[in-house]
């Protein structure tokens, strides 16, 4: 493993982590991006994403995975003025600004991301904050190397205070996409700790399991290694590396309950990592700064791992334990005619 420093125009120095693979087996060059959002500035974040994507493509990457909420931002440290029974005016204004930084799916930002994927000929997995009316979702978008938007996954269970700002995804957005470089899907941050969700993805045949996250603790690595072994799949976990200065300054943005932060204080230390189906760490974890972290994925490793353990195949006991997934879209309101819905929308 070697770190190769590479300058990025108008930005920091990024590090590419190279790993060799068995040349006799099919391989995929994959990159996880460890970088911060330009908070409250979606256009600047998309510009940064394109610079990073171009850099990864220059190394020959075929698949590039960005962190959770990269477009739209992860509001670390904010409580949006919420206490039980009360919401402050300042907190409501914070939500208005956060809502404004989110993106519609589909929408112009999605179209731009699709163009990027096609321009650089990479499969792109991008964490975004999705705006659906006035409800926000923590979402992952998938694009193929021809610039086509494949679909999305909405986080099914936001964690802790995330539930005051993000809605809940349903079973209709738990996709695994079959592509020429493997079957690709994603789960976001702590929903990776939900065994039934993982089992649903294993049943869809996931081979390249993307895990965008906001968790930089050491214990996250244990979860990622376990999932690689359990699912017999490659794990690509991308997290942001953020300093206090990557967020707006106080009093516009306040890190609640955290004192003595300087502009250079690290508020999320990354820990992005790539792990093989055998549990071997191929690249990372990186806690040093913004980086591009890459590895060559030997797809032959999947079959070798499944020979040992296939959780939804020869190591399952369906006569004892089964899982039912309700994978249809859910809606709080259903109209019996299209005209009825349109009347409501256009009043």
């Amino acid at each position: 493993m070697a770190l190769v420093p590479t300058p990025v125009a108008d930005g920091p120095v990024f590090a590419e982590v190279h790993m060799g693979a068995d040349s006799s087996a099919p391989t995929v060059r994959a990159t996880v991006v460890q970088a911060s959002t330009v908070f409250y500035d979606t256009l600047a974040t998309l510009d940064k994403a394109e610079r990073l994507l171009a850099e990864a493509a220059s190394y020959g990457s075929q698949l590039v995975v960005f962190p959770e909420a990269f477009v739209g931002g992860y509001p670390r440290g904010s409580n949006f003025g919420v206490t039980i029974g009360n919401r402050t005016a300042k907190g409501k204004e914070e939500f208005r600004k956060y809502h404004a930084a989110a993106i519609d799916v589909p929408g112009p930002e999605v179209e731009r991301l699709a163009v990027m994927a096609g321009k650089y000929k990479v499969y792109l997995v991008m964490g975004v904050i999705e705006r659906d009316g006035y409800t926000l979702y923590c979402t992952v978008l998938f694009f193929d190397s021809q610039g086509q938007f494949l679909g999305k996954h909405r986080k099914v269970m936001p964690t802790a205070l995330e539930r005051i700002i993000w809605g809940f995804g349903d079973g209709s957005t738990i996709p695994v996409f079959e592509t020429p470089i493997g079957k690709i899907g994603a789960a976001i941050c702590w929903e990776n700790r939900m065994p039934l969700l993982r089992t649903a993805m294993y049943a869809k045949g996931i081979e390249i399991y993307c895990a965008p996250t906001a968790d930089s603790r050491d214990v996250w690595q244990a979860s990622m290694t376990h999932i690689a072994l359990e699912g017999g799949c490659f794990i690509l976990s991308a997290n942001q590396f953020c300093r206090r200065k990557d967020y707006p300054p106080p009093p516009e943005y306040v890190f609640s309950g955290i004192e003595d932060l300087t502009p250079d204080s690290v508020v999320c230390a990354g820990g992005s990592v790539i792990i093989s189906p055998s549990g071997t760490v191929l690249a990372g974890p990186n806690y040093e700064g913004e980086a591009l972290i890459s590895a060559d994925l030997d797809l032959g490793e999947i079959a070798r791992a499944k020979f040992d353990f296939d959780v939804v195949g020869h190591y399952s006991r369906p006569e004892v334990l089964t899982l039912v997934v309700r994978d249809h879209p859910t809606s709080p309101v259903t109209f019996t005619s299209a005209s009825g819905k349109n009347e409501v929308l256009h009043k």
Side-chain angles (χ1 to χ4, degrees):
M1 181 185 302
L3 289 176
V4 182
T6 306
V8 175
D10 299 320
V13 172
F14 296 87
E16 165 90 358
V17 181
H18 294 274
M19 282 295 301
D22 180 359
S23 61
S24 66
T27 61
V28 173
R29 163 66 49 118
T31 295
V32 293
V33 173
Q34 181 164 289
S36 67
T37 302
V38 183
F39 210 80
Y40 288 152
D41 193 334
T42 301
L43 179 59
T45 298
L46 289 170
D47 290 342
K48 182 174 184 177
E50 181 159 10
R51 293 196 301 271
L52 296 169
L53 200 60
E55 186 73 12
S58 74
Y59 290 112
S61 292
Q62 298 161 272
L63 170 63
V64 181
V65 181
F66 279 76
E68 177 180 12
F70 185 78
V71 177
Y74 188 82
R76 187 174 301 277
S78 180
N79 62 17
F80 289 87
V82 171
T83 56
I84 293 177
N86 186 56
R87 285 156 297 281
T88 66
K90 184 177 184 298
K92 291 180 180 182
E93 175 59 14
E94 287 179 11
F95 180 78
R96 184 201 64 77
K97 293 169 68 176
Y98 191 53
H99 178 272
I103 67 172
D104 296 326
V105 180
E109 295 85 2
V110 177
E111 292 173 5
R112 181 176 176 189
L113 289 167
V115 169
M116 288 182 204
K119 178 179 178 180
Y120 299 105
K121 305 301 182 187
V122 298
Y123 286 82
L124 172 61
V125 178
M126 175 64 74
V128 307
I129 300 303
E130 177 190 358
R131 180 176 55 224
D132 187 355
Y134 290 94
T135 295
L136 303 180
Y137 295 90
C138 184
T139 297
V140 168
L141 306 181
F142 300 84
F143 303 86
D144 71 15
S145 60
Q146 303 304 306
Q148 297 297 312
F149 173 52
L150 298 177
K152 68 184 179 184
H153 164 62
R154 284 177 171 174
K155 193 173 188 177
V156 299
M157 177 53 69
T159 298
L161 210 62
E162 293 172 356
R163 296 171 199 165
I164 69 169
I165 53 169
W166 296 341
F168 295 66
D170 61 32
S172 69
T173 66
I174 311 175
V176 172
F177 297 101
E178 187 162 2
T179 77
I181 64 170
K183 296 177 181 178
I184 302 171
I188 306 169
C189 206
W190 275 23
E191 67 176 0
N192 283 286
R193 297 168 67 173
M194 300 172 69
L196 300 185
L197 176 62
R198 297 198 307 269
T199 302
M201 296 171 67
Y202 301 151
K204 292 187 175 186
I206 191 165
E207 295 171 331
I208 301 177
Y209 186 121
C210 304
T213 188
D215 191 341
S216 61
R217 299 172 306 155
D218 290 343
V219 72
W220 179 253
Q221 304 300 319
S223 292
M224 295 299 94
T225 300
H226 171 77
I227 295 170
L229 290 166
E230 179 182 69
C233 51
F234 288 95
I235 297 294
L236 280 61
S237 183
N239 194 6
Q240 297 192 32
F241 183 95
C242 304
R243 299 183 186 275
R244 176 63 184 89
K245 63 187 178 185
D246 293 317
Y247 287 82
E252 179 184 5
Y253 194 99
V254 176
F255 276 71
S256 299
I258 305 176
E259 299 179 356
D260 301 324
L261 287 178
T262 69
D264 287 324
S265 294
V266 175
V267 295
C268 182
S272 301
V273 70
I274 299 176
I275 303 174
S276 81
S278 67
T280 300
V281 175
L282 300 179
N286 183 306
Y287 297 101
E288 301 303 316
E290 294 200 332
L292 299 177
I293 301 165
S294 297
D296 290 329
L297 313 184
D298 171 10
L299 299 185
E301 275 294 303
I302 297 169
R304 290 190 283 270
K306 296 284 192 180
F307 178 64
D308 288 340
F309 186 83
D310 185 355
V311 69
V312 291
H314 63 76
Y315 227 93
S316 65
R317 288 291 305 276
E319 75 279 17
V320 179
L321 301 168
T322 60
L323 170 66
V324 175
V325 180
R326 296 177 179 86
D327 59 355
H328 58 280
T330 58
S331 175
V333 180
T334 301
F335 295 92
T336 59
S337 69
S339 61
K341 182 178 181 180
N342 290 336
E343 286 174 7
V344 173
L345 290 176
H346 293 104
K347 281 184 178 179

